Amino acid sequence: VQLQASGGGLAQAGGSLRLSCSVSGSIFSLTDMGWYRQAPGKERELVASVTGGGSTNYADSVKGRFTISRDNAKNTVYLQMNSLKPEDTAVYYCSADWRRLNSRSEWEVGRTGGQGTQVTVSS
């Protein structure tokens, strides 16, 4: 299972960016998907998550500005980031929880993270 994130870059304060993360590999279904970020000198934090049923959860710092969504047909999760602030500058990582049948017809579950994509917001 592999995750490919894209869409990071440089934005001005007040601007917008949209991150995408596509999941590939042999899986039966995706359950929870999410975005994390890590700023220099800080711990990684959860930014937003979305369940298989579409329920969402956001960090207080991004509520009302960021929107997480998913396209199950494309195995892709998105993060629309509006009203960006310099403190949003970080490396953003996506993650996906998945399940699949193994060669013994047993269910396997796992979590895979993607490579980070840099988001830089200038003041």
Side-chain angles (χ1 to χ4, degrees):
V1 180
Q2 294 184 327
L3 278 65
Q4 180 69 44
S6 61
L10 178 64
Q12 292 187 333
S16 298
L17 286 173
R18 188 190 194 209
L19 305 183
S20 299
C21 178
S22 297
V23 183
S24 61
S26 179
I27 57 174
F28 179 81
S29 64
L30 295 170
T31 53
D32 294 357
M33 303 180 78
W35 289 94
Y36 293 78
R37 68 185 180 186
Q38 187 167 19
K42 295 187 177 181
E43 294 186 352
R44 188 172 298 191
E45 63 173 349
L46 176 66
V47 176
S49 63
V50 57
T51 68
S55 296
T56 58
N57 180 57
Y58 296 93
D60 288 342
S61 59
V62 306
K63 282 181 181 177
R65 301 188 298 121
F66 290 10
T67 301
I68 189 170
S69 61
R70 60 191 288 167
D71 184 334
N72 292 326
K74 296 181 178 179
N75 285 347
T76 300
V77 62
Y78 306 96
L79 186 67
Q80 178 67 44
M81 305 184 293
N82 299 328
S83 302
L84 284 163
K85 303 176 180 180
E87 51 264 43
D88 294 319
T89 296
V91 178
Y92 284 70
Y93 302 87
C94 56
S95 73
D97 293 347
W98 48 264
R99 61 178 182 146
R100 65 186 179 192
L101 283 173
N102 63 18
S103 60
R104 299 184 298 275
S105 296
E106 299 168 334
W107 285 109
E108 287 184 343
V109 296
R111 171 174 292 179
T112 301
Q115 92 288 0
T117 184
Q118 178 70 46
V119 170
T120 302
V121 183
S122 62
S123 58

